[in-house]
Amino acid sequence: MEKRVFLIVLDSFGIGAEPDAAAFGDEGTNTLGAIAKHPNFNCPNLKKLGLFNIDGVTAGEKDAAPTGSFARLQEQSMGKDTTIGHWEIAGVVSPKPLPTFPDGFPDSLIHEFEEKTGHKVLCNKPYSGTQVLKDYGEQAMREDALIVYTSADSVFQVAANEELVPVHELYRYCEIAREMLKGEYGVGRVIARPFLGHTADTFYRTTNRHDLSLKPPRKTMLDLLKDAGRDVIAVGKIFDIFDGEGVTEKIKTTGNTNGIAFTKALQTRDFEGLAFVNLVDFDMLYGHRRDVAGYAAAATEFDKFLADFIPGMREGDILMVTADHGCDPSYTKTTDHTREYVPYLICGKGIKPGVDLGTKLCFGTIAQTICDYLGVDASTLDGKSVLGDILA
């Protein structure tokens, strides 16, 4: 029997503040709680899997007979960003947070970047990705400059207008930055943020975003699966997050709708191993922009996909749905990620329905369970498998 795992990360789909949320400035946050009350939210299939039966979830209505097994996962790493969250999902806990730059990057580093790229740098401080275009976009075009900005996350973001700086050139500049940003300046991601438009009112970010991540500090689930001869198909920004490590096939997407379509297409293909999917719009378009209505609608779109996907699952298929952190769209103190528990929903023909796994420490529970199912030794990874509890 062909064994396939479809692991889908709903980027930032948190389900309530973790015990240490106050230390991250995120006390009382709850992404699911914020969207479940909105009229755009209609998720009967997530409900049926057991989303509202999960430990601590007070939103929605519990299902009397969930078809999936379910757990609440608590992050063990010291961070709430995409890179650290995905590394932990893949079995690698980060005991130290990646460096952040609330006052911008050192002048010496920016000067070196200017010299190496031949472009002046504007901004150099934490900023909203859409607002930074309104405030600096016209000046950047006049002066042939690059806009460099960061956020509460460990990121070095470079924005440029595609008509003045071709996308391949912007990618090259980001590779220069990635080479520079190591050690104490080793941010989790360098992100190319190309945009188009001619005035502050018309600027918009294109879909040519590109992330250059730090390599994980040691082998992850992806490496172990690849080394064991399994397929590791990366859909969306998974390839970028792991800097390609352990990936056997890369599928680039333009957003949730596109990522969902690719995942459905993968269901019809023969492979043995893991399809690892990230649906980025929850975070990028709705979480950070504090758009409750948009976030709720995106959840509904995903739920409709489940209605189509689950009946088409093969005998050896397992579907897992989770998240990498929170980004509560109703939380207005900041526009950053929020320190939250994440859901872990598991279903398939060989999975027991209705198993309440409670709360598990470490997102690495996912990596261990996947490796266990696919017959790959994961003793070097963090977390503990729950396969014995859920396998029918």
Side-chain angles (χ1 to χ4, degrees), residues 250-323:
K250 169 189 177 182
I251 298 174
K252 184 176 168 60
T253 66
T254 56
N256 281 13
T257 302
N258 188 232
I260 284 168
F262 274 119
T263 306
K264 188 72 182 84
L266 278 174
Q267 191 179 37
T268 65
R269 275 180 43 186
D270 293 332
F271 69 90
E272 177 106 19
L274 174 67
F276 195 170
V277 181
N278 176 283
L279 299 180
V280 70
D281 288 353
F282 289 105
D283 185 57
M284 185 176 73
L285 295 186
Y286 309 119
H288 286 299
R289 296 184 191 177
R290 297 309 192 237
D291 180 354
V292 175
Y295 207 123
T300 298
E301 179 190 26
F302 176 71
D303 196 81
K304 288 176 181 170
F305 154 78
L306 291 178
D308 191 31
F309 186 87
I310 291 173
M313 291 174 68
R314 299 177 186 175
E315 202 64 39
D317 288 353
I318 293 180
L319 170 66
M320 298 180 178
V321 179
T322 191

Side-chain angles (χ1 to χ4, degrees), residues 210-223:
H210 180 48
D211 296 39
L212 292 91
S213 287
L214 273 183
K215 288 192 185 297
R218 55 189 171 87
K219 285 194 171 188
T220 71
M221 162 182 70
L222 284 68
D223 299 294

Side-chain angles (χ1 to χ4, degrees), residues 160-389:
N161 193 296
E162 289 187 7
E163 290 185 0
L164 293 180
V165 179
V167 172
H168 67 87
E169 270 297 282
L170 180 58
Y171 290 174
R172 188 173 69 82
Y173 298 153
C174 287
E175 286 166 4
I176 289 169
R178 180 72 280 174
E179 195 59 36
M180 291 168 55
L181 293 162
K182 292 183 175 171
E184 62 179 318
Y185 301 138
V187 293
R189 288 175 295 157
V190 174
I191 308 177
R193 293 285 197 179
F195 66 94
L196 284 171
H198 297 101
T199 62
D201 295 338
T202 60
F203 291 137
Y204 64 94
R205 298 195 292 193
T206 74
T207 57
N208 291 319
R209 165 184 171 156
H210 180 48
D211 296 39
L212 292 91
S213 287
L214 273 183
K215 288 192 185 297
R218 55 189 171 87
K219 285 194 171 188
T220 71
M221 162 182 70
L222 284 68
D223 299 294
L224 301 186
L225 294 176
K226 182 181 178 182
D227 291 349
R230 306 297 189 275
D231 295 305
V232 180
I233 304 169
V235 181
K237 64 179 185 178
I238 297 298
F239 181 90
D240 289 343
I241 290 167
F242 291 91
D243 197 32
E245 297 290 300
V247 173
T248 62
E249 182 181 344
K250 169 189 177 182
I251 298 174
K252 184 176 168 60
T253 66
T254 56
N256 281 13
T257 302
N258 188 232
I260 284 168
F262 274 119
T263 306
K264 188 72 182 84
L266 278 174
Q267 191 179 37
T268 65
R269 275 180 43 186
D270 293 332
F271 69 90
E272 177 106 19
L274 174 67
F276 195 170
V277 181
N278 176 283
L279 299 180
V280 70
D281 288 353
F282 289 105
D283 185 57
M284 185 176 73
L285 295 186
Y286 309 119
H288 286 299
R289 296 184 191 177
R290 297 309 192 237
D291 180 354
V292 175
Y295 207 123
T300 298
E301 179 190 26
F302 176 71
D303 196 81
K304 288 176 181 170
F305 154 78
L306 291 178
D308 191 31
F309 186 87
I310 291 173
M313 291 174 68
R314 299 177 186 175
E315 202 64 39
D317 288 353
I318 293 180
L319 170 66
M320 298 180 178
V321 179
T322 191
D324 53 341
H325 49 72
C327 199
D328 184 340
S330 70
Y331 190 62
T332 53
K333 285 185 185 175
T334 72
T335 57
D336 302 319
H337 294 155
T338 44
R339 177 79 167 179
E340 296 183 50
Y341 292 104
V342 302
Y344 185 31
L345 301 169
I346 315 133
C347 73
K349 290 182 170 68
I351 299 297
K352 292 177 188 172
V355 178
D356 183 351
L357 295 160
T359 298
K360 301 292 182 190
L361 178 62
C362 189
F363 297 174
T365 301
I366 298 170
Q368 289 284 356
T369 305
I370 289 171
C371 288
D372 197 0
Y373 181 65
L374 295 175
V376 173
D377 178 15
S379 55
T380 57
L381 301 181
D382 297 311
K384 290 181 181 175
S385 172
V386 294
L387 189 69
D389 300 317

